[in-house]
Amino acid sequence: MKLEEKVKKSIEKYKMLNKDEKILVSVSGGKDSHTAAWILKKLDYNIELFHINLGISKFSEISLKKVKELAEILNVPLNIVNLKDITGKTIEDLRKKHCSICGITKRYLMNRFGYENGFDVIVTGHNLDDEVSFLLNNLLNWSIRYLPKHLPVLPSHDKFLKKVKIFYEIEEEEILEYAEKEGIPFTTAKCKFQKDAITVEHRKYLNKLKEYNKNIKKQFLYGYLKYRHIFELEEDFQFKECKICGMTSAGNICSFCRVWKIKEFKW
Amino acid sequence: MKLEEKVKKSIEKYKMLNKDEKILVSVSGGKDSHTAAWILKKLDYNIELFHINLGISKFSEISLKKVKELAEILNVPLNIVNLKDITGKTIEDLRKKHCSICGITKRYLMNRFGYENGFDVIVTGHNLDDEVSFLLNNLLNWSIRYLPKHLPVLPSHDKFLKKVKIFYEIEEEEILEYAEKEGIPFTTAKCKFQKDAITVEHRKYLNKLKEYNKNIKKQFLYGYLKYRHIFELEEDFQFKECKICGMTSAGNICSFCRVWKIKEFKW
């Protein structure tokens, strides 16, 4: 089956998207998010692109270039925000925890931008390999709060927009093959901080296990979906409003505001 | 802290053993089970040894030799059973599933031998590395029936004897170091079927993760103990008596009898 057909099936199976929704596709410059935008455009969904310039030298420049190429080919609006304009700093300026702060920052900015600009849903390029490696990481750490959340669709909640992973069931290598065949512009540049991430080991390991069982990633993910409910322990959990920015938050102050301590937020 | 002290602490913490219990230590010829017997003897527990000759050429011969040396040094009774005398076959005679059938067979024979000969408890040499790699395997497969059972002590139930892992909290390398320093006889011969086992990959991976977090194995295991209860789904599960051998079983016929189809069991 062609990749577009598989994505179409996932969209139906998990009720991911509707044609009348205003969709913001978060694009990084890499193959996954670019292919997500490419396929959604092909399938005639109403999309705009969103890109954050993280200010990581060389990597962010080449990423931005590819994002602009993509937007031009697809002929869709491209929304760019500069991290330095908002926080006064780039990811490179941080002294530690680059990956976790980058994750917090991207999730916050894409959601806030989408919320403030009338989008219904955010689509990201996360694929099967991403999902199982995050899941494995959360199991190894028994991060019980995050364990129920490895879903293809996270519904909207207050000021959190709906989040959709159209490649939830698709392996990375299939996306790469498709992107190359279609001539989608993307960069293979790796962020220089990525090499330190333990998730690289999870990916290597899961790829190694494929030699024993070629369906192991999907089986692991579908088994998880079957038993996911056992991780839902915090039944009386209530979201709050961040006291600084007013966005939806798990705590009194959201992670973004805790990290960046910005007095006045301006795009 | 010395290994014996750590084991003593584990025995107290998990209420593993009493001095008046008759203990059967299952010994394979390898460092872990031999060290378990060695330390229990040092700590003045009432032990006998139990060994199964699996009939795997070279490996079983050298294992048996080392087991006999150990029994002589410790001056404790050694009980040996030959798989071929009981089943008419060796593990080598099997055409497939060597590792899983070997596991079923060893668990059954040590339990039945202990039960029929008045022992109170069976001690095995399983260590922290074994436990976390089995746990990881069961998580990857979502083997929900086995997921609640990664415990240091499995209580007795009908004809199932109590099972104890005195090295539940001890890493493999620490046992090896101790065994070498103490001059405990053991073989480093590996069973020829082991190379095919996927658990070898789990071990390599978990050892690799230690480079990121040296306590990762213990944290994974203690996190598991904290949340273990969420895997207990089969609340109305009832053990049965195997219709062939009469031993305690999960199904109508136990796995041992299903595999070996023996008409009349004789030690």
Side-chain angles (χ1 to χ4, degrees), chain A residues 142 201-202 205 212 220 224, chain B residues 142 201-202 205 212 220 224:
Chain A
W142 295 98
E201 299 298 337
H202 304 331
Y205 165 66
Y212 296 82
F220 181 40
Y224 162 77
Chain B
W142 295 99
E201 299 299 338
H202 305 330
Y205 165 65
Y212 296 82
F220 181 40
Y224 162 77

Side-chain angles (χ1 to χ4, degrees), chain A:
Chain A
M1 203 192 297
K2 275 194 74 174
L3 182 58
E4 292 130 55
E5 286 304 309
K6 288 189 186 173
V7 169
K8 231 173 134 175
K9 273 187 85 168
S10 290
I11 289 174
E12 281 165 26
K13 180 173 162 192
Y14 298 111
K15 299 183 176 61
M16 288 174 163
L17 299 169
N18 295 312
K19 287 279 161 81
D20 57 1
E21 284 175 322
K22 208 180 152 194
I23 300 168
L24 188 63
V25 186
S26 181
V27 287
S28 66
K31 65 181 186 324
D32 302 300
S33 56
H34 283 210
T35 305
W38 190 273
I39 288 180
L40 289 180
K41 177 73 180 175
K42 262 200 173 179
L43 296 178
D44 209 28
Y45 283 93
N46 174 18
I47 65 166
E48 290 194 19
L49 307 184
F50 176 73
H51 179 71
I52 305 168
N53 187 339
L54 300 161
I56 299 166
S57 54
K58 282 176 196 153
F59 174 72
S60 291
E61 290 138 37
I62 176 79
S63 298
L64 182 61
K65 186 168 164 278
K66 292 294 168 184
V67 165
K68 284 180 177 170
E69 281 176 41
L70 178 74
E72 206 169 297
I73 297 175
L74 294 183
N75 191 27
V76 292
L78 168 60
N79 305 280
I80 297 171
V81 304
N82 277 295
L83 184 61
K84 196 160 187 173
D85 294 346
I86 297 167
T87 65
K89 278 186 183 170
T90 68
I91 291 296
E92 213 167 54
D93 295 334
L94 298 170
R95 261 172 304 167
K96 52 182 183 173
K97 293 189 175 179
H98 298 88
C99 292
S100 72
I101 293 179
C102 187
I104 288 168
T105 305
K106 287 194 285 189
R107 280 190 296 276
Y108 180 87
L109 292 178
M110 72 171 91
N111 182 72
R112 181 156 178 175
F113 184 90
Y115 176 75
E116 292 185 355
N117 291 281
F119 287 88
D120 299 299
V121 47
I122 289 166
V123 167
T124 59
H126 293 108
N127 58 42
L128 176 61
D129 295 74
D130 297 321
E131 208 57 45
V132 290
S133 84
F134 293 148
L135 172 57
L136 186 54
N137 198 57
N138 284 334
L139 282 169
L140 286 166
N141 292 309
W142 295 98
S143 304
I144 210 78
R145 222 185 99 197
Y146 300 111
L147 276 168
K149 300 194 175 166
H150 295 278
L151 288 168
V153 177
L154 287 175
S156 68
H157 188 93
D158 297 338
K159 295 177 189 168
F160 277 144
L161 290 190
K162 179 169 84 164
K163 308 278 186 320
V164 165
K165 296 162 189 163
I166 64 169
F167 294 144
Y168 185 78
E169 296 176 300
I170 314 289
E171 279 194 62
E172 182 171 22
E173 58 184 357
E174 190 170 351
I175 298 168
L176 176 61
E177 202 183 294
Y178 177 91
E180 283 174 340
K181 223 177 72 189
E182 292 274 308
I184 300 173
F186 67 91
T187 173
T188 55
K190 294 273 170 246
C191 169
K192 61 182 159 191
F193 299 111
Q194 197 203 310
K195 67 180 185 307
D196 301 325
I198 197 168
T199 48
V200 176
E201 299 298 337
H202 304 331
R203 282 164 185 273
K204 273 193 217 164
Y205 165 66
L206 290 160
N207 283 329
K208 183 78 193 166
L209 296 187
K210 272 188 80 173
E211 294 173 16
Y212 296 82
N213 171 357
K214 72 179 176 52
N215 292 316
I216 195 150
K217 291 179 200 173
K218 276 203 183 162
Q219 284 172 11
F220 181 40
L221 194 63
Y222 293 151
Y224 162 77
L225 285 178
K226 184 173 173 192
Y227 292 110
R228 194 191 64 84
H229 63 279
I230 67 175
F231 298 109
E232 286 184 323
L233 302 179
E234 295 184 341
E235 279 165 36
D236 54 354
F237 179 79
Q238 290 274 347
F239 278 108
K240 300 173 185 175
E241 265 197 5
C242 170
K243 286 193 174 162
I244 294 174
C245 69
M247 294 298 288
T248 307
S249 165
N252 288 324
I253 296 173
C254 76
S255 339
F256 181 86
C257 288
R258 259 186 286 142
V259 168
W260 291 107
K261 299 178 177 59
I262 298 166
K263 283 190 188 152
E264 211 174 330
F265 188 97
K266 264 176 73 177
W267 289 107

